[in-house]
Amino acid sequence: MNGSRLFKIVYYMLEKGKTTAPELSDKFEVSIRTIYRDIDVISSAGVPIYATQGKNGGIFIDDDFTMDKSFFTETERAHILNALQGIIATDGKNSDELLTKLGAMFQIKSTSWIEVDFSDWVQNKPKQDIFNLIKNAIFAKKIILIKYFGSNGKITERRVQPLKLIFKSKNWYLYGFCLIQNDYRYFKLTRIKTLEILTETFSPTSIPPNIEKQIHIKKTIDTKLKFDKHVAFRVYDEFTDEVTEDEQGNLYVQVNLPDSDFLYSYIFSFSEHVEIVEPQFLREQIATKLKEMQEKYRT
């Protein structure tokens, strides 16, 4: 008797609801006769499992049944609490009561190990609200309607099946299936201007294997930067690459920066405290941009 299969059958039925012996047979790759023997063993173990015949018949577990904590190892119970705490940390709400209840049931003291604050000086509450709305839509498998500010400078309305929230390069993205473009897309959360959860639901499918799981910047410039010590705090905050220091306290960073207007605004944000060492063409472009700005704002 395969004990692991018995637990998997119980887990499957708790998630699936009503099923059939042929379905279980295909799922676990055993004969229908073996499935019926497994059902008898599960029932004799005290799990309220029932079978009904007829057009709408099938095999199901009583809705009031809950898994006993002994079904999980101590390590698994700790992982469940830690994972739940990670979800709660991104929720922005106080759910200590839920953690306390689970901790009591598992006989494990919950440890506060993560805290997430989405606020910043540019944009505060809206970012948290959009994050929570997307998360709720993913869990509820509901289509969302968004107004999105695209890279072309236009705001478009999109109907999206939300699949995953991704944090990369200091930004949050939504990965989902755009019903307008009929394709999978990434949406940067800060570009979502409005969001509405629709009543229409969807059945998520597995992400096609040919879809890139990472967000790639289309074109970058390999850049070497020199900073004076007055902005050392920003350098260590903002660059994960290796930072080197010379005898005068100047800092050097080799980094790939996006070949876009963002590059110029980012460099200018350091004012006179940064120098582009390489490449030479970028040094010249920055000098030209700086000259244009000085002429524009000359009084």
Side-chain angles (χ1 to χ4, degrees):
M1 182 65 65
N2 189 328
S4 175
R5 186 177 66 246
L6 298 180
F7 284 111
K8 291 178 181 178
I9 289 174
V10 173
Y11 296 143
Y12 180 78
M13 295 183 66
L14 285 172
E15 179 182 3
K16 176 78 174 181
K18 186 180 292 185
T19 184
T20 64
E23 181 180 345
L24 293 173
S25 174
D26 291 339
K27 173 71 177 177
F28 297 101
E29 300 179 346
V30 294
S31 67
I32 294 178
R33 178 177 295 182
T34 298
I35 289 297
Y36 280 122
R37 284 203 300 264
D38 290 347
I39 296 301
D40 287 339
V41 173
I42 294 171
S43 178
S44 64
V47 178
I49 189 168
Y50 304 98
T52 58
Q53 297 181 345
K55 183 179 179 180
N56 296 319
I59 304 170
F60 60 95
I61 294 176
D62 189 278
D63 291 338
D64 295 330
F65 175 73
T66 57
M67 298 288 283
D68 186 86
K69 67 175 184 294
S70 62
F71 284 4
F72 301 101
T73 66
E74 181 178 351
T75 301
E76 288 172 336
R77 296 198 296 271
H79 284 331
I80 289 172
L81 282 180
N82 288 339
L84 180 61
Q85 193 170 63
I87 294 174
I88 289 173
T90 60
D91 192 25
K93 297 178 181 178
N94 188 351
S95 301
D96 289 342
E97 183 179 355
L98 175 58
L99 286 172
T100 300
K101 287 180 179 179
L102 274 179
M105 185 181 78
F106 288 161
Q107 296 181 352
I108 295 177
K109 185 176 180 181
S110 176
T111 301
S112 180
W113 66 277
I114 183 171
E115 181 176 339
V116 179
D117 185 356
F118 287 96
S119 62
D120 56 48
W121 66 275
V122 176
Q123 183 173 322
N124 194 340
K125 197 62 177 175
K127 188 185 297 184
Q128 179 76 67
D129 290 343
I130 287 177
F131 183 95
N132 289 334
L133 286 171
I134 293 174
K135 186 193 71 174
N136 293 336
I138 292 173
F139 288 163
K141 299 179 178 62
K142 289 188 176 181
I143 293 174
I144 60 174
L145 180 67
I146 64 173
K147 287 187 177 179
Y148 189 72
F149 194 84
S151 56
N152 59 0
K154 297 180 179 179
I155 295 179
T156 58
E157 194 170 76
R158 309 284 190 95
R159 293 174 71 250
V160 180
Q161 296 176 350
L163 299 174
K164 184 184 296 186
L165 281 160
I166 300 173
F167 185 77
K168 183 173 177 63
S169 301
K170 302 181 182 180
N171 289 293
W172 280 101
Y173 294 84
L174 163 66
Y175 182 73
F177 188 82
C178 178
L179 296 171
I180 305 299
Q181 300 294 330
N182 196 35
D183 199 2
Y184 293 90
R185 289 286 190 273
Y186 288 104
F187 300 94
K188 195 172 182 179
L189 263 61
T190 53
R191 292 186 183 178
I192 297 177
K193 301 307 174 185
T194 63
L195 186 149
E196 177 186 355
I197 300 179
L198 305 179
T199 57
E200 184 181 355
T201 59
F202 67 97
S203 299
T205 57
S206 58
I207 298 174
N210 60 334
I211 295 295
E212 288 288 339
K213 293 185 177 180
Q214 303 226 354
I215 301 167
H216 296 284
I217 298 172
K218 291 183 179 179
K219 188 178 180 181
T220 61
I221 299 176
D222 188 14
T223 309
K224 184 176 182 179
L225 303 174
K226 174 184 176 182
F227 301 91
D228 66 47
K229 58 186 177 182
H230 295 92
V231 291
F233 68 97
R234 275 194 65 184
V235 175
Y236 285 110
D237 273 348
E238 300 179 18
F239 294 98
T240 56
D241 306 74
E242 183 178 356
V243 179
T244 59
E245 184 176 347
D246 63 20
E247 294 180 355
Q248 289 73 39
N250 298 310
L251 304 175
Y252 297 84
V253 174
Q254 191 83 28
V255 63
N256 285 316
L257 293 176
D259 186 9
S260 66
D261 289 341
F262 167 81
L263 185 151
Y264 302 107
S265 60
Y266 185 70
I267 294 297
F268 289 146
S269 72
F270 288 95
S271 188
E272 73 277 9
H273 302 296
V274 64
E275 176 188 347
I276 297 176
V277 180
E278 297 174 353
Q280 180 62 31
F281 77 87
L282 186 57
R283 286 174 58 93
E284 296 171 357
Q285 288 180 2
I286 290 291
T288 301
K289 286 279 186 181
L290 182 59
K291 184 177 180 180
E292 291 174 353
M293 291 177 61
Q294 290 173 340
E295 291 179 352
K296 182 177 181 179
Y297 292 103
R298 183 176 297 166
T299 57

